């Protein structure tokens, strides 16, 4: 990554590989910094990363992460031009994460939030559940607004069959009534089932211009993932 303030030109250096036993080797590098800056991307780049903030003693290489880990991941995503999809956290922890994002330099007005997926059930349209969903969405929207977020997306039922998407309509309507939008990963047939009310579909595998045209025709967004899959957040796996 080239620092934003770096002047144009060619930079030379050496990367040395060492262990406690001594030097393994070295190789020279030359980096050319071109005399222009890139404009901000017109695409949304987001990372669906698992971030369940816990105390240091409970932190792992998996979803449960310490403050140090969360801050490092937020900064890493920021420095690569992405916006994180915040997961799991609620209340005071979510407030901390919002503050860290602003401290790091994020200026995004859009928040992708996964933390209410447990309330986005399609098992029933129970009024009590929908009332709780609305209340909690309002809580996220209100808290997010304090940190400058003006567009909040709540995640639906992940990768549910398109044939069952119509069952989620009460959920989507409830989210909308609470001042937020809905996004979810889904497949062919989703537009026909809920295209009028699902604000953003996350399309798996290669982009499909036919599907894109459908969603854009009603002013909605289509994102793309699994093209390619980026791996798992489990460093020990590698």
């Amino acid at each position: 990554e080239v620092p934003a303030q770096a002047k144009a030109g060619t930079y030379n250096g050496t990367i040395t590989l060492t262990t406690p036993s001594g030097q393994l080797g070295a190789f020279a590098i030359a980096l050319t910094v071109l005399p222009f800056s890139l404009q901000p991307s017109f695409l949304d780049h987001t990372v669906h990363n698992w971030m369940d903030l816990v105390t240091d003693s409970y932190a792992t290489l998996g979803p449960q992460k310490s403050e140090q880990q969360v801050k490092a991941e937020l900064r890493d995503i920021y420095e690569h031009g992405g916006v994180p999809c915040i997961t799991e956290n609620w209340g005071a922890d979510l407030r901390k994460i919002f503050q860290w994002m602003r401290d790091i330099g994020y200026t995004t007005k859009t928040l992708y939030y996964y933390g209410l997926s447990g309330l986005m059930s399609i098992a029933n349209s129970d009024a009590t559940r929908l009332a709780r969903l609305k209340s909690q969405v309002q809580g996220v929207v209100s808290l997010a607004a304090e940190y400058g977020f003006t567009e909040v997306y709540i995640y639906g039922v992940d990768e549910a069959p398109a044939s069952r998407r119509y069952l989620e309509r009460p959920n989507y309507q409830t989210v909308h009534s609470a001042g937020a939008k809905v996004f979810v990963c889904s497949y062919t047939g989703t537009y026909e089932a809920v295209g009028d009310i699902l604000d953003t579909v996350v399309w798996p595998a290669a982009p499909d211009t036919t599907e894109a045209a459908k969603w854009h025709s009603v002013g909605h967004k289509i994102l793309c993932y699994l093209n390619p899959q980026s791996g798992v957040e489990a460093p020990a796996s590698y």
Side-chain angles (χ1 to χ4, degrees):
E1 182 194 358
V2 178
Q5 68 273 18
K7 294 182 179 180
T10 299
Y11 296 78
N12 296 285
T14 302
I15 293 179
T16 303
L17 307 178
T18 62
T19 73
S21 300
Q23 182 173 316
L24 296 178
F27 57 92
I29 60 169
L31 174 68
T32 300
V33 177
L34 300 175
F36 60 84
S37 297
L38 295 176
Q39 292 295 317
S41 174
F42 61 89
L43 300 176
D44 289 337
H45 300 278
T46 184
V47 177
H48 192 154
N49 58 320
W50 297 99
M51 263 194 299
D52 185 9
L53 182 61
V54 297
T55 59
D56 288 357
S57 59
Y58 287 97
T60 70
L61 291 179
Q64 292 75 36
K65 295 168 184 174
S66 67
E67 176 177 333
Q68 182 181 7
Q69 287 173 298
V70 170
K71 286 182 176 179
E73 288 196 6
L74 288 172
R75 181 171 295 281
D76 188 46
I77 295 170
Y78 170 77
E79 290 177 349
H80 289 83
V83 175
C85 174
I86 303 300
T87 65
E88 300 304 308
N89 299 280
W90 178 253
D93 286 347
L94 191 55
R95 180 180 291 276
K96 289 179 183 178
I97 290 176
F98 288 165
Q99 186 60 57
W100 295 338
M101 290 178 69
R102 294 315 185 201
D103 291 344
I104 288 169
Y106 283 97
T107 58
T108 177
K109 302 296 183 183
T110 300
L111 170 68
Y112 292 102
Y113 187 65
Y114 191 83
L116 299 181
S117 57
L119 286 173
M120 296 290 277
S121 169
I122 57 175
N124 58 69
S125 297
D126 177 68
T128 300
R129 178 184 62 81
L130 292 175
R132 186 179 173 211
L133 173 62
K134 182 175 182 177
S135 175
Q136 297 216 17
V137 171
Q138 288 173 328
V140 173
V141 170
S142 177
L143 180 59
E146 294 182 33
Y147 292 87
F149 295 98
T150 58
E151 189 177 51
V152 177
Y153 284 86
I154 305 297
Y155 200 73
V157 178
D158 187 44
E159 298 186 340
S163 61
R164 292 179 58 80
R165 284 294 178 197
Y166 73 94
L167 296 172
E168 294 181 76
R169 296 185 73 89
N171 295 339
Y172 298 175
Q173 292 164 343
T174 299
V175 170
H176 288 166
S177 71
K181 297 182 178 181
V182 183
F183 75 120
V184 73
C185 174
S186 201
Y187 307 98
T188 302
T190 300
Y191 177 81
E192 288 70 22
V194 291
D196 60 319
I197 198 171
L198 175 57
D199 303 284
T200 296
V201 66
V202 185
W203 189 256
D208 185 309
T209 55
T210 300
E211 284 293 329
K214 294 178 184 177
W215 294 92
H216 292 161
S217 72
V218 291
H220 293 171
K221 293 182 180 180
I222 181 168
L223 303 180
C224 177
Y225 94 109
L226 198 64
N227 187 47
Q229 181 70 297
S230 60
V232 297
E233 291 190 55
S237 298
Y238 302 105

